[in-house]
C-alpha cells in the first residue's frame, strides 16, 4: 500500500505542473471564444466572432507578416554567419574558441532595454539613421539570438568530432569544402534546425526591442497585441492563442528533430558495434 502511494507522487506532481502550465492557456482560449464572462465561473456563451473580427482587421496580417519576416530573416542571417565562423575557429584558430564563446554569450549580460538605448544613441542621428526601420530591428535580433545559435551549433560540432571526420575525409581524397558539404553538414543538420527554430521562437515573441527601436513605424505582432490589449481583451486573447499555436508548432518540431537525431545516433552506434563484432568473429 505504501509502495503504491509512493509511486503515485510523481504522477500527482506532474499533473499539478501540467495544470499550472496549461490552466492559464485554457482560460485565455475560453476568453477568446466567450460572449460574456464577468461574474460567472465559466463563460455564459461561446462564439468565434472575435476570431472573425481579428482576421478581418486590415492591420493584423501585415503585423503578423512583419514578425514572421524579421524573425526568419534574423535566424537565417545568424545561421549563415555563425556556422562558418564556428567551423573556421575550430579548424584554424582553436585558441579563439574561448573568446568566441564569451562574445556570443554577451547578450545574456545586457538587458534588451540597455541594448536598445545604445542602438538608439548610435543609429538615431545622422549620417546613418536606422531607428524606425527593419534594418535596426534585424541587426538587434541577430545579436539577441547569438547565444542560442552559437551554443547549439558548437555543441553539434563537438558531439560530431568534426575535426577528426574532416581529416578522415581529406585522407580519402576530399578537400575541406567537400568534407563539410557531404560529411559534416548532413550530420549537424538536425542540431542546426533546432537552433534555427529555437531562435525563431525567441524572436517571434520579442517586444522590448521592437517597441523601443521601431514602434509604430514597423509594427510587429507583439506591438499589435499591446495596442489591441488596451482596446479589447477578447481580441488580445485571440492573438495570444494564435501566438501559442505558432510556438507550440515550433516546439513540437524541435522535439521531433531531437528525437530523430538521437535515434539516428543510436542506429549508427549499433551498426558500428555490429561491424566490430563481425570483424572479431
Amino acid at each position: 500500500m505504501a509502495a503504491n502511494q509512493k509511486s503515485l507522487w510523481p504522477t500527482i506532481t506532474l499533473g499539478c505542473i501540467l495544470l499550472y502550465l496549461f490552466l492559464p492557456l485554457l482560460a485565455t482560449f475560453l476568453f477568446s471564444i466567450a460572449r460574456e464572462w464577468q461574474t460567472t465561473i465559466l463563460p455564459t456563451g461561446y462564439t468565434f466572432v472575435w476570431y472573425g473580427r481579428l482576421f478581418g482587421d486590415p492591420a493584423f496580417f501585415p503585423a503578423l507578416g512583419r514578425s514572421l519576416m524579421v524573425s526568419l530573416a534574423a535566424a537565417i542571417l545568424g545561421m549563415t554567419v555563425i556556422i562558418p565562423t564556428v567551423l573556421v575557429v575550430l579548424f584554424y584558430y582553436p585558441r579563439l574558441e574561448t573568446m568566441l564563446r564569451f562574445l556570443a554569450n554577451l547578450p545574456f549580460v545586457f538587458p534588451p532595454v540597455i541594448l536598445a538605448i545604445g542602438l538608439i544613441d548610435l543609429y538615431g542621428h545622422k549620417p546613418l539613421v536606422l531607428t524606425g526601420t527593419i534594418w535596426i530591428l534585424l541587426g538587434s535580433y541577430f545579436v539577441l539570438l547569438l547565444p542560442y545559435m552559437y551554443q547549439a551549433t558548437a555543441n553539434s560540432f563537438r558531439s560530431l568530432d568534426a575535426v577528426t571526420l574532416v581529416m578522415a575525409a581529406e585522407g580519402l581524397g576530399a578537400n575541406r569544402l567537400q568534407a563539410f558539404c557531404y560529411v559534416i553538414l548532413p550530420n549537424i543538420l538536425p542540431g542546426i534546425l533546432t537552433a534555427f527554430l529555437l531562435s525563431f521562437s525567441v524572436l517571434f515573441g520579442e517586444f522590448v526591442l521592437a517597441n523601443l527601436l521601431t514602434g509604430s513605424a514597423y509594427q510587429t505582432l507583439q506591438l499589435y497585441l499591446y495596442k489591441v490589449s488596451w482596446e479589447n481583451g477578447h481580441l488580445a486573447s485571440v492573438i495570444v492563442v494564435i501566438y501559442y499555436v505558432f510556438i507550440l508548432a515550433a516546439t513540437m518540431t524541435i522535439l521531433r528533430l531531437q528525437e530523430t537525431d538521437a535515434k539516428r545516433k543510436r542506429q549508427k552506434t549499433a551498426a558500428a558495434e555490429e561491424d566490430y563484432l563481425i570483424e572479431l568473429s
Side-chain angles (χ1 to χ4, degrees):
M1 183 68 178
N4 291 335
Q5 290 179 348
K6 184 178 180 180
S7 63
L8 288 177
W9 277 111
T11 304
I12 295 174
T13 304
L14 180 61
C16 292
I17 293 174
L18 292 177
L19 183 65
Y20 174 79
L21 292 175
F22 285 101
L23 190 59
L25 181 58
L26 177 61
T28 303
F29 173 71
L30 288 177
F31 194 69
S32 71
I33 61 174
R35 290 183 181 275
E36 196 75 24
W37 195 7
Q38 294 180 355
T39 59
T40 57
I41 297 177
L42 293 175
T44 55
Y46 300 96
T47 179
F48 284 93
V49 67
W50 306 115
Y51 285 84
R53 184 177 299 183
L54 178 68
F55 294 149
D57 188 350
F60 169 68
F61 284 106
L64 177 61
R66 294 187 194 102
S67 291
L68 290 173
M69 182 174 66
V70 71
S71 300
L72 288 172
I76 292 173
L77 177 63
M79 187 170 58
T80 306
V81 172
I82 291 175
I83 293 177
T85 302
V86 173
L87 186 67
V88 169
V89 168
L90 282 177
F91 282 99
Y92 298 102
Y93 308 102
R95 294 183 179 179
L96 297 180
E97 186 178 0
T98 302
M99 181 182 296
L100 181 62
R101 187 184 307 116
F102 171 76
L103 293 175
N105 288 315
L106 273 181
F108 281 147
V109 179
F110 299 101
V113 175
I114 303 299
L115 177 61
I117 292 174
L119 290 173
I120 291 172
D121 185 61
L122 186 61
Y123 296 109
H125 312 285
K126 293 182 178 181
L128 188 60
V129 180
L130 295 179
T131 52
T133 67
I134 185 179
W135 306 112
I136 192 169
L137 196 59
L138 183 62
S140 61
Y141 277 9
F142 171 75
V143 174
L144 194 64
L145 65 81
L146 275 177
Y148 309 99
M149 187 69 73
Y150 169 77
Q151 290 295 341
T153 303
N155 290 338
S156 297
F157 277 109
R158 293 193 194 99
S159 63
L160 186 63
D161 194 5
V163 177
T164 303
L165 286 178
V166 169
M167 292 176 62
E170 288 179 337
L172 295 174
N175 57 43
R176 289 202 168 179
L177 181 60
Q178 292 173 330
F180 175 75
C181 294
Y182 296 105
V183 179
I184 303 300
L185 188 59
N187 285 282
I188 66 171
L189 191 58
I192 298 302
L193 291 177
T194 300
F196 178 85
L197 291 172
L198 177 61
S199 301
F200 171 78
S201 301
V202 172
L203 298 179
F204 188 71
E206 204 285 322
F207 171 76
V208 176
L209 290 175
N211 185 38
L212 294 177
L213 295 176
T214 60
S216 59
Y218 190 81
Q219 189 181 61
T220 61
L221 183 63
Q222 290 299 316
L223 297 179
Y224 179 81
L225 171 61
Y226 178 75
K227 175 187 174 183
V228 169
S229 64
W230 290 93
E231 301 173 357
N232 191 306
H234 294 282
L235 290 179
S237 298
V238 173
I239 298 173
V240 171
V241 171
I242 294 173
Y243 168 75
Y244 272 107
V245 168
F246 271 99
I247 299 302
L248 179 62
T251 303
M252 295 302 294
T253 305
I254 291 172
L255 294 176
R256 181 62 179 173
L257 288 172
Q258 290 178 340
E259 181 182 353
T260 303
D261 188 37
K263 182 179 180 180
R264 180 181 57 82
K265 289 180 179 179
R266 289 195 299 268
Q267 290 176 347
K268 290 178 65 176
T269 302
E273 291 177 352
E274 184 178 354
D275 293 340
Y276 178 72
L277 292 175
I278 292 175
E279 291 179 359
L280 288 180
S281 61

